[in-house]
Amino acid sequence: PEEIIGRPRSILFPGHVSDIQLRSINSTIKSGQACYFENLAPFGSQEIWLGTWLVPLKNDQGECISILGVSRDINERRQAEQELKTALQKEKELNELRSSFISRTTHEFLTPLSTILSSAELLEYYGHRWPEEKRNGHLHRIQDATKSMSHMLSDILAIERIETRKLECD
């Protein structure tokens, strides 16, 4: 308190900080309403975030005769807000990655499923007319596509186990 009480505002808050306060003081005088602002202010060898309320003090006629200013150190709150913003950004990035993964995975599954479906339909409608070699070719395509999908599912399950820490990676 001894470093602050009784000292002029311009010494406590030099430059741009003093300008912000002066504009806020003028606004409070003109409107007759309390105002709140936040700013970085020098304090010793560091800067701290202050939240400041300016409240007009009025006489019996309702005229502003003085302004009461109350500032409070809000560093912890600002730091918590920044941490929340960072966490929110990371969450958004994670959701975008998940969405991209799902989109790519869906595409990777659709290709073998299309192969399976088209080969199965061809076998159903024309298989009885084809030579055994051609039928076997389509059956092998179905088997290969099924194995491919099985491998992809195994990979996805492994990723899920790693993410939920049910599987350790070396």
Side-chain angles (χ1 to χ4, degrees):
E2 59 276 355
E3 294 177 22
I4 297 174
I5 295 175
R7 298 196 61 202
R9 177 181 51 81
S10 60
I11 292 173
L12 294 171
F13 304 105
H16 72 283
V17 175
S18 187
D19 292 342
I20 292 169
Q21 289 182 327
L22 191 56
R23 282 194 304 273
S24 298
I25 289 169
N26 288 335
S27 172
T28 301
I29 290 170
K30 286 179 185 175
S31 70
Q33 301 294 317
C35 115
Y36 177 79
F37 62 93
E38 296 178 359
N39 62 287
L40 266 175
F43 192 75
S45 62
Q46 61 183 354
E47 285 189 324
I48 63 169
W49 277 99
L50 291 179
T52 301
W53 277 101
L54 298 177
V55 180
L57 301 176
K58 300 176 182 178
N59 62 17
D60 292 339
Q61 289 78 34
E63 300 168 330
C64 180
I65 56 171
S66 186
I67 293 180
L68 171 65
V70 179
S71 293
R72 187 170 183 203
D73 179 347
I74 58 169
N75 267 336
E76 286 181 20
R77 191 196 80 204
R78 292 290 292 224
Q79 184 177 359
E81 286 174 356
Q82 188 58 44
E83 288 171 2
L84 283 173
K85 285 179 184 176
T86 301
L88 180 61
Q89 182 61 33
K90 287 181 180 178
E91 186 69 25
K92 284 180 181 178
E93 289 171 6
L94 182 60
N95 284 337
E96 287 172 10
L97 284 172
R98 281 188 181 134
S99 178
S100 174
F101 174 77
I102 288 170
S103 177
R104 281 184 276 149
T105 303
T106 301
H107 176 74
E108 291 297 319
F109 275 99
L110 287 176
T111 302
L113 280 173
S114 295
T115 300
I116 292 169
L117 181 62
S118 66
S119 289
E121 286 176 345
L122 288 170
L123 284 170
E124 178 184 6
Y125 295 117
Y126 305 108
H128 62 282
R129 294 188 226 159
W130 288 344
E132 187 174 337
E133 185 178 304
K134 192 169 185 176
R135 281 194 314 265
N136 286 342
H138 281 281
L139 288 172
H140 288 297
R141 280 192 198 106
I142 291 172
Q143 291 169 345
D144 290 344
T146 305
K147 287 176 188 174
S148 173
M149 289 179 61
S150 178
H151 289 310
M152 283 190 287
L153 280 173
S154 294
D155 291 345
I156 291 170
L157 289 173
I159 291 169
E160 191 272 333
R161 278 189 237 124
I162 291 168
E163 285 181 344
T164 59
R165 308 227 191 289
K166 293 178 183 173
L167 180 68
E168 295 283 327
C169 267
D170 293 329

